[in-house]
Amino acid sequence: NSYLNAIKNFYVFLDGNKILSLEGFFKHELSMTRRGTVSSTDLRIKKINNHESSLNPLKQRDVDRLLEVIELMPDRDKLLISLLLGCGLRGQEARTMNALLFNEDTLIESDSFLIQDIIIGNKTGVETKFLIDRELFITKPLYEQVLDYIDSKDYQNSLSKYKAKFTYDSKYLPLFLTNNGNLLNKQAYYNIWNKFKELYKREYKTKFEHKPHDLRATFGTSLLQILSKETGDVLAALGVVKVALGHKDESQTLKYAKYLTHSKMLNRAAQILDEHAVKIFKGGKNA
């Protein structure tokens, strides 16, 4: 930061003495800190959040409650949260999902519970991490929910406004739009999440402490747990989860395995301690 600040001040000096223009070197912008909004530049070192370094998946009770609460939300918001939980999508992947990836023919032709061969990424206009193309993991019921939403009057009205406002690619139509036909940006995305949290608090008189990314962690840990149990092959299960979550390398997916192993060990430790506590209590009572 000190080095960058010295460079910035040097260019400010050159600009002040009309030797060189600041334009093209850096831009002034506002930055959010714990103390509030401060004047900064685009040279600042930005904090990188690694969401997958510490997993915080939902417990089953929280999942059940979430599914009940989203039924109270508009179809667009309900579908958005359903895709986060049911497909393990990142926020930007859900926000930029391409509506043209979903059609009735694919649904009819599929004999499997899982719809396959849907590729998301740079080629299809979906903002994946590192712009890597990957396969979308989606079940048939959730796929049908997407199709129902696309056919809905609300979506078609928003889409008409979008087409009237913007020049669009014939290969891409946004699945999620605002009511006035604009793209669903990050702020609108978090507004939907905050509305969900307000509804949750109203229904259950308690705060929903999880972040949207925790739904992805819930999907990943649940999928790994089910596959490992059904197949008995943890390595193969990890490979499937890696593909389903769009991880760049295995080290990211291993965090999910470590989380499950750690949770099992804690549960087993608690069980052993309970058993010994009973023995100790009985022994003390007899004495």
Side-chain angles (χ1 to χ4, degrees):
N1 272 323
S2 297
Y3 284 128
L4 287 173
N5 198 44
I7 294 170
K8 184 201 75 171
N9 289 335
F10 174 66
Y11 282 110
V12 170
F13 165 78
L14 293 178
D15 181 70
N17 287 274
K18 302 188 183 304
I19 298 172
L20 193 65
S21 173
L22 285 177
E23 187 176 353
F25 289 96
F26 67 84
K27 296 178 181 178
H28 286 283
E29 58 183 34
L30 295 178
S31 177
M32 293 295 296
T33 69
R34 290 182 179 179
R35 297 179 181 179
T37 304
V38 297
S39 178
S40 182
T41 72
D42 59 354
L43 293 177
R44 75 184 189 279
I45 298 174
K46 298 178 182 179
K47 180 182 177 182
I48 299 174
N49 293 317
N50 186 1
H51 296 289
E52 286 156 357
S53 60
S54 57
L55 301 178
N56 188 28
L58 280 65
K59 296 179 180 179
Q60 188 58 50
R61 186 192 67 171
D62 295 327
V63 172
D64 294 339
R65 287 182 171 183
L66 177 143
L67 294 174
E68 289 180 5
V69 171
I70 62 175
E71 290 295 329
L72 305 174
M73 304 182 75
D75 290 341
R76 181 201 65 182
D77 303 350
K78 173 185 173 183
L79 179 61
L80 178 67
I81 294 176
S82 296
L83 287 176
L84 295 175
L85 179 63
C87 300
L89 293 177
R90 299 179 178 93
Q92 73 268 23
E93 293 172 343
R95 285 193 297 106
T96 59
M97 186 56 62
N98 187 352
L100 297 179
L101 294 175
F102 306 88
N103 58 77
E104 291 285 351
D105 292 338
T106 301
L107 184 65
I108 295 171
E109 292 170 2
S110 177
D111 297 325
S112 171
F113 181 74
L114 184 68
I115 306 293
Q116 295 179 301
D117 301 326
I118 301 175
I119 304 301
I120 62 173
N122 194 42
K123 293 179 181 177
T124 52
V126 181
E127 293 181 13
T128 57
K129 197 170 184 179
F130 307 117
L131 300 178
I132 297 173
D133 290 337
R134 69 179 182 89
E135 189 172 351
L136 175 66
F137 187 104
I138 186 168
T139 60
K140 186 174 284 188
L142 189 49
Y143 193 96
E144 290 175 341
Q145 187 178 335
V146 175
L147 291 178
D148 289 341
Y149 170 71
I150 291 173
D151 290 335
S152 69
K153 185 178 179 181
D154 288 342
Y155 175 73
Q156 290 300 322
N157 286 340
S158 297
L159 186 61
S160 296
K161 294 176 183 177
Y162 169 80
K163 289 180 177 180
K165 282 184 174 183
F166 305 102
T167 302
Y168 58 93
D169 188 345
S170 60
K171 295 182 179 179
Y172 178 83
L173 286 177
L175 180 62
F176 295 109
L177 294 163
T178 62
N179 293 333
N180 56 9
N182 292 328
L183 295 171
L184 194 74
N185 58 26
K186 188 179 287 188
Q187 182 179 350
Y189 169 77
Y190 280 108
N191 284 343
I192 291 171
W193 185 251
N194 288 332
K195 287 177 184 176
F196 160 74
K197 291 173 70 175
E198 289 172 6
L199 283 172
Y200 188 95
K201 186 176 181 180
R202 190 184 74 187
E203 291 295 310
Y204 295 105
K205 313 303 179 190
T206 185
K207 288 184 179 180
F208 189 82
E209 301 292 352
H210 290 276
K211 299 176 181 179
H213 204 80
D214 293 339
L215 303 189
R216 174 175 164 83
T218 306
F219 169 84
T221 51
S222 299
L223 182 61
L224 181 58
Q225 193 169 26
I226 292 169
L227 290 175
S228 300
K229 185 177 180 180
E230 292 294 324
T231 65
D233 190 338
V234 178
L235 287 177
L238 280 170
V240 173
V241 173
K242 177 178 178 292
V243 172
L245 291 174
H247 284 159
K248 192 175 182 180
D249 54 63
E250 290 79 4
S251 62
Q252 292 174 293
T253 318
L254 281 173
K255 293 172 184 175
Y256 287 77
K258 288 178 181 177
Y259 173 85
L260 287 177
T261 303
H262 182 66
S263 298
K264 287 179 181 178
M265 288 298 290
L266 285 178
N267 290 337
R268 180 57 184 150
Q271 183 182 353
I272 292 170
L273 287 172
D274 284 342
E275 291 171 358
H276 280 279
V278 170
K279 292 177 182 177
I280 292 169
F281 177 74
K282 286 182 176 179
K285 189 175 181 180
N286 291 334

